[in-house]
Amino acid sequence: MKDLISYSYDETLSIGYKIGKNLFKGAIVTLHGDLGSGKTALARGIAKAFSIDDISSPTFTIFHIYDGKLPVYHFDIYRIEEDDLEDIGYEEYFYNDGVTLIEWADKLKRLYPKECLRIVIEKLDSNVRKIILEGIGDKYKRIEDVVEKDEDFGD
């Protein structure tokens, strides 16, 4: 497990970018945190690593598909149940050749991926976030180990 501190929206984007640069085909990232904690900002940074300029929160549409160097499947499951995910064929996206980002992943129980990069974002004050990375499975532990906070984010 690795903890990083972000002091701004731009720094959160940069941390996401660095995470994205270390993801691979079929990667799943689960995002946990309260409303306004920065889940979508981190997802934007990850998507930027795949040459996707911007993403929006898919709260009312359940998920968006973005085409980049790899497809990015961005889910927001705040308003749906696991049965709804099964009805839309979630496996086609979760276990595909793209990168899957799941906001509000704490709602997943039986569908929670057995291997993933679990990211918890804690809002410490209006601008400061604690970002906790936990690689679940060997291929995700590597990401946890290489992501550092530094000055070259976004380059």
Side-chain angles (χ1 to χ4, degrees):
M1 203 167 342
K2 174 170 285 188
D3 296 357
L4 301 167
I5 301 293
S6 169
Y7 293 95
S8 69
Y9 174 83
D10 287 341
E11 205 166 40
T12 300
L13 287 175
S14 294
I15 291 169
Y17 180 84
K18 182 78 173 208
I19 292 167
K21 284 294 194 182
N22 289 281
L23 292 175
F24 46 86
K25 282 184 180 182
I28 300 175
V29 178
T30 62
L31 298 160
H32 304 260
D34 292 335
L35 190 64
S37 62
K39 294 180 298 294
T40 301
L42 196 71
R44 283 187 179 116
I46 291 170
K48 183 75 172 161
F50 296 99
S51 299
I52 298 166
D53 289 330
D54 195 21
I55 63 172
S56 59
S57 179
T59 300
F60 296 103
T61 57
I62 302 172
F63 75 100
H64 292 298
I65 300 171
Y66 297 96
D67 291 319
K69 292 177 184 173
L70 289 177
V72 173
Y73 310 112
H74 183 208
F75 284 80
D76 183 322
I77 60 171
Y78 182 74
R79 300 185 191 291
I80 66 170
E81 301 299 322
E82 287 183 310
D83 290 345
D84 299 322
L85 281 173
E86 289 175 312
D87 290 345
I88 63 169
Y90 78 98
E91 304 99 329
E92 181 180 340
Y93 305 101
F94 280 29
Y95 305 106
N96 203 324
D97 284 342
V99 171
T100 302
L101 310 175
I102 308 166
E103 292 191 36
W104 296 101
D106 50 301
K107 289 191 64 180
L108 293 174
K109 303 297 182 233
R110 62 188 164 76
L111 301 182
Y112 200 93
K114 291 182 182 8
E115 294 187 313
C116 63
L117 179 62
R118 182 175 189 270
I119 301 175
V120 177
I121 305 172
E122 297 175 7
K123 188 175 181 179
L124 301 180
D125 78 17
S126 61
N127 291 318
V128 181
R129 304 293 188 266
K130 180 178 182 181
I131 300 171
I132 304 162
L133 307 178
E134 180 183 7
I136 301 172
D138 290 339
K139 58 189 173 184
Y140 292 97
K141 288 279 185 197
R142 178 189 60 77
I143 297 168
E144 176 188 316
D145 292 339
V146 298
V147 174
E148 296 288 340
K149 183 178 167 195
D150 59 26
E151 299 304 317
D152 71 348
F153 288 133
D155 290 342

